Amino acid sequence: MGAAILSDLLTEILIPVAAVVGIVFSLFQWMLVSKVKLSPERQTPARGNKNDYADYLIEEEEGLNDHNVVVKCADIQSAISEGATSFLFTEYQYVGVFMVAFAILIFLFLGSVEGFSTKSQPCTYSKDKTCKPALANAIFSTVSFLLGAITSVVSGFLGMKIATYANARTTLEARKGVGKAFITAFRSGAVMGFLLAANGLLVLYIAINLFKLYYGEDWEGLFEAITGYGLGGSSMALFGRVGGGIYTKAADVGADLVGKVERNIPEDDPRNPAVIADNVGDNVGDIAGMGSDLFGSYAESSCAALVVASISSFGINHELTAMLYPLLISSMGIIVCLITTLFATDFFEIKAVKEIEPALKRQLIISTALMTVGVGIVSWIALPSTFTIFNFGVQKTVKNWELFFCVAIGLWAGLVIGFVTEYYTSNAYSPVQDVADSCRTGAATNVIFGLALGYKSVIIPIFAIAISIFVSFSFAAMYGIAVAALGMLSNIATGLAIDAYGPISDNAGGIAEMAGMSHRIRERTDALDAAGNTTAAIGKGFAIGSAALVSLALFGAFVSRASISTVDVLTPKVFIGLIVGAMLPYWFSAMTMKSVGSAALKMVEEVRRQFNTIPGLMEGTTKPDYATCVKISTDASIKEMIPPGALVMVTPLIVGTFFGVETLSGVLAGSLVSGVQIAISASNTGGAWDNAKKYIEAGASEHARTLGPKGSDAHKAAVIGDTIGDPLKDTSGPSLNILIKLMAVESLVFAPFFATHGGLLFKIF
């Protein structure tokens, strides 16, 4: 078997050090962003510093060294920040109640497995050994659930705070050129990416070490209890994604339909009553929701890998370094992403608009290439040359290079999914240009083309996921799939930086429009935003791809824990689960889409009312009532996020308790298979419609100019397509990946209860 090169002591030092480096780096980036001042005091700089003087001259030339502009930007920023903060606080109050209730439920369900006994019991997988009592598992699972939930909430909240801090600063930097604005937006995204990756790793590492004080040699029980961490992370992410998604899209649809289509005013025009709510929505949906979502994926893939490893040779022989292999990969990921970030902010300078998108794509390629080398090093020093992995009741012999391939294939599959998503959603390529062209004949053809594009965009990502599953399972069974998911998420810091960059740029454009900045500034922020739209779609592609792998790994761990020898699709118990599971993503999507629709309806009526009843609003002599629109979005999203959330959280409990583990395994497989397809097509359809509209608005090519300008019939058709796509790409699509992960991790946490007491209906009849 051989031992790992890396000593246990060094492993225990390296993991927290990497996490601390990530946190320090994010604080350093935040410090650089904060150097952009939001106050108008500005003297003519001394000629000593050439760059400062050049910046000053540019501003003077633009006629924009205007105190009023800076003051306006600061005011708008504080309005957006206040709106976002108050919404998240309201959301977290409701979510907090749920969190406590669900924690009690976990304790009661898991504690009742052995009738709340405090006696030691035979281990699940090695009956000759004794493990800690079921009551201990109940207590520690509850604690880790709360830890995961709190970390997830904090990740989302910090992300939102950073984004609202950076949006106006990006606008002000756009006066000096597109390069400066890009660096400010990207640095702010990096703050969020590194904070989230490092916090997730650090909290998990501390939790494992604290739990070890009680569990001692019982690693099987220890890592089973740790799975609650993933459940906590994802359950908060679900409410963040659904609540934030409903908020942002209700405001967006209301602002677009009345403002652009009916009143013919530009996007983010300050006369539009829904404009502040729309900009708040970008932060609570795309930033706070996405942060919680990717944190949940990261926590779950780590937990799935640790659970399988604890019943393999790593756990049985107490090889700590090999056991913590998933955490070492994440540590390496932070260091690799740190180097990658410097390529965007320090090594290359962006001078023209056309360089923005390639710079962001370069981030993905560099981080993937460097990470492949990093994973190779970690696999070589942290793993024994051969070891055994638990594979449904038997131990499979695996070599360390095979595990390296599992992680690497996940990593590269992520890149493939990212680039395919980009091809289908960026207006630089023919699919989106075809959708834009279809707007000539009205909104109906635009919708038909957009739907076709979304369905077609599923093909290559599904093949990429299928190949990674086959290869990683062949090499290292379920553990291989878990580390492949971790591979896809290993450069999460860079992925999140790219993803958060989009909404920050979007907000910056909105602030430029509202502050009355020149057309040139708006063009720069629009260019940043268009690139951000594509990268947001790439981020969603990553999230969905990793969710599929994570869900399958958790499904494997659940099947092992529930002592199911095979999942036979031909048995009625399993098949009914399969067909119901495949229906759940549709039911969930119907709920979220209708929620956005009904909230948008109220918003449209309110915006129309203000335009019709407030004198001087269209002329710009009076201010609209922004607060009412913010309130409509807040109230609607809080009320509407509960039913979809309840559907996802309650389904595994009902199925497992009344129908048993076989039916539940069918439900999990069904929801995974159909959920991934709908999520990819919904996200890409929405992204394509959005960029088709931007393609017409920008008028950058001869073809685009024949369709434009803003306000033309083709442009109006594109706006309608974009409006339909909004809830698809920002509410239903991204929330579905949480549905498939959350049901799987919840089933795994409750597996001891379902295995002992589940299937009540089949026991009665």
Side-chain angles (χ1 to χ4, degrees):
M1 299 285 274
I5 297 171
L6 192 64
S7 72
D8 290 355
L9 177 67
L10 206 53
T11 303
E12 297 217 43
I13 294 168
L14 285 176
I15 295 169
V17 164
V20 170
V21 165
I23 292 169
V24 169
F25 183 71
S26 70
L27 293 176
F28 174 66
Q29 294 295 325
W30 180 76
M31 193 186 77
L32 292 173
V33 171
S34 65
K35 284 185 174 172
V36 181
K37 290 287 175 268
L38 267 186
S39 53
E41 297 103 47
R42 168 105 198 223
Q43 281 76 40
T44 310
R47 289 173 183 251
N49 189 332
K50 205 174 82 185
N51 286 353
D52 273 4
Y53 193 68
D55 291 346
Y56 180 77
L57 285 179
I58 291 167
E59 290 175 34
E60 282 296 320
E61 210 175 294
E62 293 258 323
L64 281 167
N65 209 350
D66 180 358
H67 288 195
N68 292 343
V69 169
V70 182
V71 171
K72 268 188 192 169
C73 285
D75 287 347
I76 298 162
Q77 185 220 26
S78 70
I80 294 170
S81 184
E82 278 166 32
T85 307
S86 75
F87 168 72
L88 285 181
F89 273 129
T90 313
E91 182 185 67
Y92 293 156
Q93 281 165 14
Y94 284 84
V95 168
V97 173
F98 157 79
M99 194 162 84
V100 173
F102 205 75
I104 294 167
L105 209 62
I106 293 174
F107 175 71
L108 294 176
F109 269 66
L110 295 182
S112 67
V113 172
E114 296 287 331
F116 295 98
S117 154
T118 52
K119 289 197 187 93
S120 293
Q121 55 182 14
C123 296
T124 312
Y125 301 98
S126 346
K127 299 289 182 195
D128 51 328
K129 293 181 184 168
T130 53
C131 284
K132 299 290 181 190
L135 188 63
N137 184 32
I139 294 167
F140 282 98
S141 291
T142 308
V143 171
S144 60
F145 166 77
L146 291 170
L147 268 178
I150 292 164
T151 312
S152 180
V153 163
V154 168
S155 299
F157 187 75
L158 285 175
M160 181 280 297
K161 275 306 209 192
I162 291 151
T164 51
Y165 182 81
N167 51 17
R169 288 172 165 79
T170 305
T171 310
L172 293 175
E173 286 292 274
R175 297 179 304 174
K176 302 174 188 172
V178 76
K180 298 262 186 184
F182 170 81
I183 286 181
T184 304
F186 188 80
R187 278 201 169 123
S188 314
V191 176
M192 180 185 174
F194 282 93
L195 264 186
L196 190 138
N199 280 344
L201 176 64
L202 196 59
V203 175
L204 180 59
Y205 175 75
I206 291 169
I208 291 170
N209 278 300
L210 290 178
F211 285 19
K212 214 192 285 171
L213 298 175
Y214 169 78
Y215 277 99
E217 297 294 292
D218 175 14
W219 283 18
E220 186 186 299
L222 162 64
F223 290 103
E224 192 173 294
I226 284 286
T227 50
Y229 185 67
L231 176 60
S234 255
S235 51
M236 295 305 105
L238 177 71
F239 290 108
R241 255 302 188 203
V242 174
I246 294 168
Y247 185 108
T248 179
K249 291 305 116 181
D252 200 356
V253 170
D256 281 3
L257 281 182
V258 185
K260 286 193 203 164
V261 178
E262 293 177 13
R263 295 282 169 167
N264 226 353
I265 58 175
E267 188 164 358
D268 296 317
D269 191 295
R271 292 171 291 176
N272 194 329
V275 71
I276 292 286
D278 184 7
N279 281 292
V280 168
D282 290 334
N283 295 295
V284 295
D286 295 347
I287 298 262
M290 186 66 172
S292 293
D293 178 4
L294 279 175
F295 165 75
S297 281
Y298 162 74
E300 283 160 337
S301 56
S302 303
C303 292
L306 291 167
V307 165
V308 180
S310 70
I311 49 176
S312 304
S313 64
F314 301 158
I316 296 164
N317 304 332
H318 294 95
E319 296 166 1
L320 183 71
T321 299
M323 187 70 217
L324 295 181
Y325 177 67
L327 275 73
L328 285 165
I329 288 176
S330 305
S331 307
M332 178 60 84
I334 290 174
I335 305 303
V336 162
C337 291
L338 193 153
I339 298 164
T340 309
T341 303
L342 298 177
F343 278 91
T345 56
D346 295 79
F347 299 160
F348 295 106
E349 195 182 341
I350 286 181
K351 292 189 174 71
V353 164
K354 63 176 187 294
E355 293 171 16
I356 299 170
E357 215 166 294
L360 292 167
K361 276 167 32 189
R362 210 165 29 223
Q363 285 287 298
L364 283 177
I365 296 166
I366 294 168
S367 64
T368 304
L370 291 177
M371 194 61 210
T372 309
V373 178
V375 169
I377 295 166
V378 171
S379 306
W380 176 54
I381 63 170
L383 296 171
S385 51
T386 55
F387 43 90
T388 62
I389 294 290
F390 184 85
N391 180 23
F392 301 116
V394 295
Q395 293 284 353
K396 175 184 170 78
T397 305
V398 180
K399 294 183 169 61
N400 58 4
W401 61 266
E402 290 176 317
L403 217 48
F404 159 70
F405 273 113
C406 294
V407 183
I409 197 159
L411 186 62
W412 285 92
L415 190 69
V416 168
I417 293 171
F419 279 144
V420 169
T421 308
E422 191 224 1
Y423 174 70
Y424 281 105
T425 56
S426 167
N427 54 27
Y429 303 103
S430 60
V432 171
Q433 289 171 11
D434 291 346
V435 171
D437 194 61
S438 70
C439 294
R440 287 174 194 279
T441 46
T445 42
N446 179 26
V447 170
I448 293 166
F449 268 71
L451 287 171
L453 176 146
Y455 298 148
K456 197 176 173 189
S457 71
V458 172
I459 301 166
I460 299 172
I462 290 297
F463 275 118
I465 292 168
I467 291 166
S468 0
I469 289 169
F470 182 79
V471 172
S472 49
F473 189 87
S474 305
F475 278 147
M478 275 300 163
Y479 188 70
I481 293 171
V483 293
L486 206 63
M488 206 177 271
L489 291 164
S490 58
N491 46 7
I492 185 173
T494 295
L496 257 171
I498 291 172
D499 205 72
Y501 155 88
I504 292 169
S505 303
D506 193 353
N507 260 206
I511 291 170
E513 183 75 49
M514 284 186 270
M517 287 181 154
S518 74
H519 183 62
R520 276 176 66 183
I521 305 291
R522 184 69 223 220
E523 272 180 1
R524 287 170 190 165
T525 55
D526 277 354
L528 291 169
D529 183 21
N533 249 351
T534 305
T535 56
I538 292 173
K540 285 174 192 133
F542 262 99
I544 295 163
S546 63
L549 293 176
V550 168
S551 179
L552 185 59
L554 291 163
F555 176 61
F558 162 73
V559 168
S560 303
R561 182 63 188 85
S563 313
I564 307 170
S565 48
T566 50
V567 179
D568 184 356
V569 180
L570 294 177
T571 56
K573 275 185 189 178
V574 176
F575 193 80
I576 57 165
L578 196 65
I579 203 158
V580 169
M583 172 274 296
L584 285 173
Y586 290 91
W587 188 1
F588 179 83
S589 297
M591 283 175 152
T592 50
M593 294 284 285
K594 190 153 184 283
S595 298
V596 172
S598 56
L601 201 67
K602 289 181 193 147
M603 187 67 79
V604 167
E605 284 166 357
E606 172 59 24
V607 175
R608 275 184 189 151
R609 182 194 70 75
Q610 291 198 29
F611 274 124
N612 293 333
T613 59
I614 298 177
L617 184 55
M618 270 308 279
E619 293 74 33
T621 53
T622 44
K623 268 187 159 185
D625 177 8
Y626 297 128
T628 306
C629 292
V630 170
K631 189 175 186 320
I632 287 173
S633 261
T634 302
D635 293 349
S637 55
I638 296 294
K639 189 174 120 230
E640 302 278 0
M641 76 179 180
I642 293 165
L647 172 73
V648 178
M649 300 300 289
V650 171
T651 302
L653 294 179
I654 292 174
V655 174
T657 307
F658 294 106
F659 298 92
V661 287
E662 285 95 344
T663 308
L664 182 53
S665 64
V667 168
L668 295 178
S671 65
L672 166 61
V673 167
S674 83
V676 172
Q677 328 278 341
I678 307 172
I680 294 173
S681 67
S683 291
N684 290 350
T685 295
W689 276 327
D690 194 348
N691 273 343
K693 175 201 71 177
K694 284 202 163 60
Y695 175 72
I696 294 172
E697 286 175 351
S701 67
E702 195 56 49
H703 174 240
R705 283 191 285 278
T706 61
L707 300 168
K710 286 184 184 181
S712 66
D713 286 345
H715 179 246
K716 283 185 175 169
V719 171
I720 291 169
D722 174 36
T723 311
I724 299 169
D726 275 339
L728 285 171
K729 76 174 168 50
D730 289 324
T731 312
S732 297
S735 304
L736 278 171
N737 60 56
I738 305 179
L739 172 138
I740 57 180
K741 296 180 307 196
L742 186 50
M743 283 175 46
V745 74
E746 189 180 334
S747 304
L748 174 59
V749 170
F750 286 99
F753 175 82
F754 297 149
T756 315
H757 303 301
L760 293 179
L761 285 182
F762 293 132
K763 284 176 184 169
I764 296 165
F765 300 116

